[in-house]
Amino acid sequence: MTLKLYNTKTRSKEIFTPIDAKNVRMYVCGPTVYDYAHIGNARPVIVFDVLFRLLRHFYGADHVTYARNITDIEDKIIARAAKEGRTIRDLTEETAKVYEDDVAALGALVPTLVPRATDHVAEMLTLIDTLVEKGHAYAAEGHVLFDVTSMADYGKLSGRSIDDMIAGARVEVAPYKKNPMDFVLWKPSSDIEPGWDSAYGRGRPGWHIECSAMIEAHMGTTIDIHGGGIDLVFPHHENEVAQSVCAHGEPLANFWMHNGFLQVEGEKMSKSLGNFRTIHELLDEWPGEVLRLQMLQSHYRQPIDWTERSGKEAQGTLDRWYALTDGVEATKEAPEGVLKAISDDLNAPGAIAELHKLASAGDGAGLKTGAQLLGFLEGTAEAWEAAKLNRSSVDPMVVEALLAERTKARAAKDFAASDRIRDELKAMGVEIMDGAEGTTWTITK
């Protein structure tokens, strides 16, 4: 089966052919660890985890290298550490650990590589030296800046011209810049800021140079896929392209992939609106698998609206899937319909529709196999129920007491009382199912 992916670089869907089928390489921009990641940051984690799984399916787990970096030196980190009176290392270690635990709870596989920016400053300086030597960068007042006019097609990835960028810029231009759009590769550090010695003075790297250097250090000058959120196309990914292409004369990535924006209850997420939600907070309310299914019910390139209602619907879907696959073994071959859909530019909504068909047909084995390709149904039904119970205010003892009362009412043919108890349980967020072996219950939230 052919894998097709939408390439931001060409603005078209293309057949994916790796540079080396025995070493397929993908890099996705990870978090800047100054605070807990918000729910929008979960989307690229989940989207590119699905792609990682799919690449492993096509080429073998040992032949796919997936890197997701951690930015642990940046001005927001410095400011947060100073505000809290902590060392930068202490802050970044804590937030990075929370991030890794949170994305694991979303069902994301551990990437092959998790490079940290502070471990690659030497490589960044080497790359900066190369750009200066080739006339693509210049030193000015303790800074080193990339000269955007030195690259004929700067702006091609994002589809912007330098003139348009300058016209649309609303920032004060530093006097040491040759061009308003020139961006920082290296900046000076004060005595109280973290810094490294260099030929340009004591300082620290700019954001964009970090990813270019880490990619080159671990994966070579050209990789197969570079991914991230749509907000990174400009300036971050555009500037990565500029640095790497001008240093090496080769494309940084053959495929560029970007996921769409996320809203919360129909509005842009912001602290001022009171709808800013972190992954960590939501995992206290929902099992990670619910958040994963919510994210995949919309195509990754389209905007997505996170709502409480969609969470309840996703949990209900997973309830049915777990009930149908309880004790069922997955098969070796993924269902053709699921694989065909997800291989068409990660059409997760189409793949989920195929899973619903398998569920309706009572094909538990096919459902489990197809779902696991997307990162679902990897635990037991018992663990799933426990995960819901741990996040619920429902008291199991109260539920069991009400069920016992309902059993007595049914035995006495007091169906009005039986219905009243069912409604009471439903209001609590508990759904009951009567079967030949008795009454079972599940949390619906």
Side-chain angles (χ1 to χ4, degrees), residues 349-371:
I352 291 168
E354 292 295 323
L355 294 177
H356 283 306
K357 291 179 184 178
L358 292 167
S360 297
D363 184 358
L367 172 60
K368 191 165 193 173
T369 308

Side-chain angles (χ1 to χ4, degrees), residues 293-325:
L293 184 53
Q294 283 180 286
M295 293 289 181
L296 294 178
Q297 286 178 327
S298 297
H299 192 277
Y300 79 93
R301 287 192 284 116
Q302 300 303 315
I304 188 173
D305 187 21
W306 190 94
T307 66
E308 188 79 11
R309 178 179 177 181
S310 67
K312 292 179 180 179
E313 291 173 350
Q315 183 162 294
T317 294
L318 289 163
D319 281 339
R320 293 189 291 275
W321 288 359
Y322 268 108
L324 185 61
T325 59

Side-chain angles (χ1 to χ4, degrees), residues 169-191:
R170 296 182 180 179
V171 295
E172 183 178 350
V173 179
Y176 49 78
K177 285 188 176 184
K178 292 181 179 180
N179 185 295
M181 298 311 299
D182 291 351
F183 58 90
V184 173
L185 303 174
W186 188 259
K187 64 180 74 174
S189 291
S190 68
D191 292 340

Side-chain angles (χ1 to χ4, degrees), residues 11 232 379:
R11 289 161 180 76
L232 297 182

